[in-house]
Amino acid sequence: MTTAQGRGLFLTFEGIDGSGKSTQCRLLAEHLRALGREVILTREPGGSPGAEEIRRLVLEGDPDRWSAETEILLFTAARRDHLERTILPALAEGKVVVCDRFADSTRMYQGLSRGDLRATVDKLHALMIGREPDLTILIDMDPTTGLSRAKGRQGTEERFEDFGLELQEKMRAGFLSLAAEFADRFQVIDGARPIEAVAAEVAEVVEAALVAQA
Ligand code: TYD
């Protein structure tokens, strides 16, 4: 949709736990605002009041609290609410939506971590979400570094971080093959560099996408 400030752009960040994508999301939002764009900075699971309530259900507590199938339903329910109430209205107003994780995280964490449930994730996504980002930035990094950063935070949202290094290795490989599968919308950026260097490359890639869209 066209407005005074142009069409909305839907950007997502993906990566393993501790890859630094949340920091990069924030820096990108600040950068785009400085360029005069209206930006909505949001995250998954969460990003709307209802979805934030679901976030607590899925991220806190025992790692075995939910089966992978139940998680797919919970993450998709949260995403549907987030899409309806936050993402689509912002895009319709021509804003740039910067979202920390989206459906690619479900494809990986629920689709790969406990057996192969990717087809189930994709079916539910097609039925209930049916929307992919315009651009997805994968912050790629070695899981040993990522996990030590994530664990250093000492939070309560550790259900997935508790899965350990082996799972994170699998997630990293999975994200890289997802980037190849959806090569039209993915950009892979090396996250094992100083924050400013990563941020500069993110800004370059996003500005190119904004120009291409104009
Ligand atoms: P996030 O808050 O992005 O944590 P981090 O900043 O450490 O990357 O995500 C929280 C956790 O939720 C993360 O371990 C991945 C998990 N997750 C899923 O398992 N499936 C999903 O669909 C999403 C969006 C997140």
Side-chain angles (χ1 to χ4, degrees):
M1 142 166 203
T2 307
T3 68
Q5 61 165 350
R7 288 162 55 211
L9 191 73
F10 182 24
L11 306 173
T12 60
F13 280 74
E14 298 285 355
I16 57 170
D17 296 298
S19 57
K21 59 186 173 40
S22 307
T23 305
Q24 293 300 331
C25 284
R26 188 173 44 74
L27 293 174
L28 176 66
E30 283 167 14
H31 178 73
L32 293 175
R33 284 178 187 134
L35 292 178
R37 292 292 305 224
E38 263 198 85
V39 180
I40 296 287
L41 178 59
T42 187
R43 67 167 182 184
E44 289 209 347
S48 62
E52 289 289 335
E53 285 194 37
I54 298 175
R55 179 181 178 99
R56 280 191 287 282
L57 293 176
V58 287
L59 295 190
E60 294 179 16
D62 193 274
D64 297 327
R65 184 175 184 186
W66 309 110
S67 71
E69 287 82 353
T70 310
E71 271 173 30
I72 293 170
L73 292 165
L74 288 168
F75 278 107
T76 307
R79 181 161 305 126
R80 174 76 197 203
D81 192 62
H82 184 207
L83 191 71
E84 283 176 9
R85 289 166 199 261
T86 305
I87 299 174
L88 292 179
L91 292 175
E93 289 168 6
K95 295 176 182 163
V96 179
V97 175
V98 177
C99 188
D100 188 347
R101 296 195 185 281
F102 191 65
D104 296 317
S105 282
T106 316
R107 292 185 172 107
M108 291 298 98
Y109 285 80
Q110 285 65 48
L112 272 192
S113 63
R114 285 151 290 172
D116 184 4
L117 289 173
R118 172 71 195 276
T120 307
V121 172
D122 284 341
K123 271 189 210 154
L124 200 59
H125 180 79
L127 193 64
M128 284 295 153
I129 308 297
R131 166 86 204 211
E132 299 296 348
D134 298 310
L135 173 65
T136 299
I137 293 174
L138 173 59
I139 306 289
D140 177 54
M141 89 151 31
D142 166 44
T144 318
T145 318
L147 207 61
S148 63
R149 285 193 194 176
K151 279 290 188 192
R153 288 198 297 248
Q154 296 269 321
T156 51
E157 295 180 341
E158 288 181 347
R159 282 193 59 235
F160 295 96
E161 289 159 18
D162 282 345
F163 283 174
L165 188 60
E166 201 180 318
L167 177 80
Q168 299 293 345
E169 299 271 11
K170 202 170 169 184
M171 294 296 108
R172 182 196 196 184
F175 272 124
L176 287 170
S177 60
L178 209 56
E181 184 181 338
F182 296 110
D184 54 325
R185 69 172 164 89
F186 261 90
Q187 288 278 349
V188 182
I189 291 184
D190 175 11
R193 293 177 296 160
I195 288 174
E196 308 72 43
V198 178
E201 197 180 338
V202 168
E204 203 178 299
V205 162
V206 171
E207 280 171 41
L210 284 167
V211 169
Q213 187 201 45

